[in-house]
Amino acid sequence: MMIRGVITLCLLGLSTVPALANDPIDEWKFTNAATKDEVAKAGAPDWNFDKDEKCFPSAAIWDGKQSGAGLKNCAPKTAANDIHPWAFPTYYRIQRCDYTDSRTGQPFREYHVMYNVFFAYSTNSIGGHDYDWEWAILKWKKGNNGQYIRRSIVLEAHGKTKEWAWDKYPNTNEWTKNGNRPIIKFGWDGHGLEADIRNNKKWFNGRDWVSNTEGVNFSQYNWGKANSNPDTFAPWGSHDLCYVA
């Protein structure tokens, strides 16, 4: 059972053993505006796409205007080499989460980093729709030396989530379990996030373009059926970054 502010780690079924690659980060970097991009890049996914994918991400807002409004086809087109899509931002938000361990009564802290990617159009087996937001969350816990290390990762697909302990996640940027950043695939049928990297062809390194969502008013736009724009992960939003699992 989990109640707000109280959490039992053993009930999450998550290992407390760090992965082989889990470079730590000083806590102050999670809260300093000048270093938040550095934190986001430290865990930013390598985004992968199915070999048959036709709809690729883009920026959600350009020059203060919503991107892709009224778009009825897939965009942007793939790059000429057919391997890398055109560059797109990985939006992120960092949230401090304070808990009490229900077993010991001791307080502890984590930092959760939400990664969010925008598609102007989404196709699936039962039809398509304008606008699509896909998201993942990387959770950081305090290590033995007082710095923070990766604890687990949450992937969302079609309204459902799955969480892996970091040392159990199957693929990282080293194409083994030895990297510091996850490989995440956008599924062909509706862009739901997957850890399975079979049938991949195109990819984009999320670390190359991260964008902090603080101070950006995403809620002023109508995102249609897409109900997980970055503002929904803000403290006033509908997704509680400290209790998403």
Side-chain angles (χ1 to χ4, degrees), residues 43-47 113-115 133-139 152-166 168-171 181-187 191-197 233 244-245:
D46 276 356
W47 299 112
V113 183
M114 179 277 299
Y115 296 102
W133 286 97
E134 303 294 344
W135 55 269
I137 296 172
L138 184 60
K139 301 181 180 181
S152 65
I153 183 169
V154 178
L155 304 188
E156 185 273 342
H158 312 302
K160 299 180 180 180
T161 60
K162 184 174 182 178
E163 184 167 7
W164 285 263
W166 180 248
K168 302 298 183 184
Y169 192 75
N171 298 292
R181 298 182 295 107
I183 295 175
I184 301 177
K185 176 183 176 180
F186 294 105
H191 299 141
L193 301 187
E194 303 174 2
D196 183 359
I197 61 173
F233 293 90
V244 173

Side-chain angles (χ1 to χ4, degrees), residues 33-53:
T35 55
K36 286 185 176 182
D37 275 8
E38 177 185 341
V39 171
K41 290 178 180 181
D46 276 356
W47 299 112
N48 279 223
F49 300 86
D50 188 271
K51 63 182 180 63
D52 296 320
E53 182 60 63

Side-chain angles (χ1 to χ4, degrees), residues 6-231:
V6 180
I7 188 170
T8 304
L9 290 177
C10 63
L11 293 183
L12 293 175
L14 300 174
S15 170
T16 59
V17 178
L20 295 178
N22 201 342
D23 293 344
I25 295 180
D26 293 326
E27 182 175 9
W28 66 269
K29 291 186 175 181
F30 287 86
T31 58
N32 188 299
T35 55
K36 286 185 176 182
D37 275 8
E38 177 185 341
V39 171
K41 290 178 180 181
D46 276 356
W47 299 112
N48 279 223
F49 300 86
D50 188 271
K51 63 182 180 63
D52 296 320
E53 182 60 63
K54 295 181 174 61
C55 295
F56 292 90
S58 65
I61 301 170
W62 278 112
D63 295 327
K65 297 181 180 180
Q66 184 179 23
S67 297
L71 188 68
K72 297 299 180 184
N73 51 37
C74 295
K77 296 179 179 179
T78 57
N81 62 12
D82 205 34
I83 297 297
H84 304 288
W86 294 117
F88 58 88
T90 296
Y91 298 100
Y92 76 88
R93 175 178 288 273
I94 299 174
Q95 179 68 48
R96 190 186 83 184
C97 299
D98 292 311
Y99 305 105
T100 300
D101 190 325
S102 62
R103 298 169 299 174
T104 66
Q106 295 299 310
F108 67 96
R109 176 172 296 167
E110 294 185 350
Y111 287 90
H112 295 179
V113 183
M114 179 277 299
Y115 296 102
N116 205 324
V117 173
F118 172 73
F119 292 78
Y121 194 78
S122 177
T123 59
N124 55 53
S125 56
I126 58 174
H129 59 84
D130 288 336
Y131 310 127
D132 195 15
W133 286 97
E134 303 294 344
W135 55 269
I137 296 172
L138 184 60
K139 301 181 180 181
W140 297 73
K141 67 174 184 178
K142 183 176 286 189
N144 294 331
N145 62 356
Q147 294 177 300
Y148 278 73
I149 58 175
R150 300 154 188 80
R151 177 172 75 82
S152 65
I153 183 169
V154 178
L155 304 188
E156 185 273 342
H158 312 302
K160 299 180 180 180
T161 60
K162 184 174 182 178
E163 184 167 7
W164 285 263
W166 180 248
D167 61 322
K168 302 298 183 184
Y169 192 75
N171 298 292
T172 68
N173 60 300
E174 298 295 335
W175 295 92
T176 65
K177 293 183 180 180
N178 297 331
N180 280 300
R181 298 182 295 107
I183 295 175
I184 301 177
K185 176 183 176 180
F186 294 105
W188 177 80
D189 192 5
H191 299 141
L193 301 187
E194 303 174 2
D196 183 359
I197 61 173
R198 291 175 295 179
N199 298 318
N200 286 12
K201 184 176 182 181
K202 304 176 181 69
W203 61 275
F204 181 75
N205 189 340
R207 183 178 59 182
D208 291 346
W209 186 358
V210 296
S211 180
N212 192 342
T213 62
E214 294 180 28
V216 181
N217 185 5
F218 290 89
S219 297
Q220 67 180 305
Y221 303 105
N222 180 2
W223 301 107
K225 296 180 180 179
N227 62 359
S228 54
N229 76 75
D231 277 0

